[in-house]
Amino acid sequence: MSLLRTFVVVVVGILSAATSANAIANGVGKLPVMGYNAWNAFACNVSETLIIQTAQYMKEYGLLDVGYNHVNLDDCWAMKNRSSTGEVMSDNIRFPSMNNLTDQLHALGFYAGIYSDSGWFTCARYPGSFMHEEQDAMTFQSWGFDFLKYDNCAIPFDDIIQEGMIGKYQRMADALAAVAEKTGTTLIFSLCEWGWSQVWLWGAQISHSWRIDSDIAPQWDSISSIINSASFITQATNYYGRNDLDMLEIGNGDLTYDEAKTHFTAWALVKAPLLIGTNLATISQEMLSILKNQEIIAVNQDPIYGTSISPFRWGINPDWTYNPTYPAQYWSGPSENGTVFMLINTSIEPANMFFNLTESPWIRAGIQYSVRDLWTHTDNGTAVRNFTAMNVPAHGVVALLLKEDGNEPAGLVPCAGEALSQCTAEDGTSYS
């Protein structure tokens, strides 16, 4: 048995509404998964040879070294029909031995992921797991897989399922728990139900991540639309359970370098899974450098804070405006090493982006802050009360880490930001 395998016993059930976001803290999936999924680049054109070659590229390019330690199958790996006894079977030409595949991935240093569906069929019409949940969970475990992506196609009729969306996914959660109890092996469980049924309210009860929106595409309007969706539900993410914004499109389509940086930054800082989805045989050094930004990855994999960054100002639109074209522009959140800021220029022209430090609830009043740029990897002086990012490219991003650097200089007005309207001395004198 590979040393990479994690052995725990878990019992999973529907939990009360008061359960916190780390409800499925069962020993796996504490931090966002980082790795590779072949779907965006290859769809159904996958094989054992392709998957192993991709894993070898990941080692060669240093992606494993910076944290991308999963290699996951998506749809189309199976035979079209189950065995006479109901077992799902791998394609005997393209995947002649799943145990051989997972053994090779584990030997290279990776965890191995597999895909199934909560309905009758997968989205590509291969066997789904409905009414075969525990049988399939046992099969996946016996093959040596560590991760399960679980899709939402071919939903049974209501008079058959009689469970609703939560119940349909609970079936596999219960199956995985039953297998864990029998074998001591727990798989990371990733729901893919496309943001239906307000999954961010219940996903953490039965899974480690949950898709919040429709399938991603390698173009800016798709990226901005998903960022917009994420901006309203950031509180759902914490250790062991997180919003999944879908696989990365970096290296695909017509995304510009700045759009790809924004895509990666947003996914990483909201603590979404980071699953590369391009052909690594042809990836450019420019796009590879985005994926390997260790200062951005460090926030995604923060061992102290599991929460997402959140918007503190929408910018172009009034706060709380739902707009897929112009989502929230000003975001912040806590990290192990300071307060993280993300500024997104959603316009089609370069722009200066200004904010008062205390617009972020994570900033202390009366303190000056050193400024670290997480993309230029430079220390950019000290910010006192406010900061302006100059000439942010169209659809570009700025990612900053601000650390406390002593008290503000003397002689400033007593209060700043929102506090100004109630700024009051001990004797009652108002400074508003």
Side-chain angles (χ1 to χ4, degrees), residues 139-292:
T139 296
F140 301 151
Q141 186 275 332
S142 71
W143 283 343
F145 285 101
D146 311 284
F147 173 102
L148 173 63
K149 174 182 174 180
Y150 206 52
D151 221 336
N152 193 33
C153 285
I155 298 171
F157 291 157
D158 291 350
D159 63 348
I160 294 173
I161 194 166
Q162 294 187 335
E163 291 173 309
M165 190 65 73
I166 296 178
K168 184 161 69 79
Y169 280 94
Q170 183 71 47
R171 294 171 66 98
M172 181 54 85
D174 289 344
L176 293 172
V179 169
E181 193 167 19
K182 292 175 182 177
T183 67
T185 302
T186 297
L187 277 67
I188 294 175
F189 188 31
S190 174
L191 303 189
C192 184
E193 57 87 85
W194 317 318
W196 294 9
S197 303
Q198 295 179 284
V199 64
W200 45 88
L201 299 180
W202 53 268
Q205 297 176 8
I206 56 178
S207 70
H208 300 97
S209 64
W210 46 89
R211 278 277 302 282
I212 66 164
D213 213 332
S214 300
D215 289 354
I216 194 171
Q219 54 205 41
W220 175 252
D221 60 353
S222 176
I223 305 303
S224 66
S225 179
I226 294 170
I227 292 172
N228 175 66
S229 295
S231 68
F232 298 94
I233 55 174
T234 58
Q235 71 277 9
T237 286
N238 208 330
Y239 289 137
Y240 298 103
R242 55 198 51 89
N243 294 322
D244 179 356
L245 280 58
D246 206 358
M247 298 166 286
L248 297 169
E249 290 282 17
I250 294 159
N252 298 335
D254 60 359
L255 291 174
T256 68
Y257 175 66
D258 286 305
E259 289 170 345
K261 282 175 58 179
T262 302
H263 173 21
F264 184 71
T265 304
W267 266 235
L269 301 192
V270 302
K271 309 294 180 69
L274 299 177
L275 292 173
I276 299 166
T278 194
N279 184 353
L280 291 180
T282 59
I283 191 171
S284 70
Q285 286 299 312
E286 188 176 56
M287 293 299 167
L288 191 60
S289 71
I290 293 174
L291 294 170
K292 292 176 67 175

Side-chain angles (χ1 to χ4, degrees), residues 59-101:
K59 287 202 72 167
E60 178 185 343
Y61 297 161
L63 290 165
L64 175 61
D65 293 337
V66 299
Y68 294 94
N69 60 2
H70 279 74
V71 176
N72 299 338
L73 293 178
D74 210 280
D75 209 343
C76 309
W77 56 263
M79 299 290 286
K80 285 288 189 178
N81 296 299
R82 290 178 176 270
S83 73
S84 60
T85 53
E87 282 87 6
V88 66
M89 300 181 292
S90 64
D91 185 290
N92 56 20
I93 302 298
R94 294 180 295 116
F95 293 96
S97 170
M98 284 301 200
N99 287 108
N100 184 58
L101 173 67

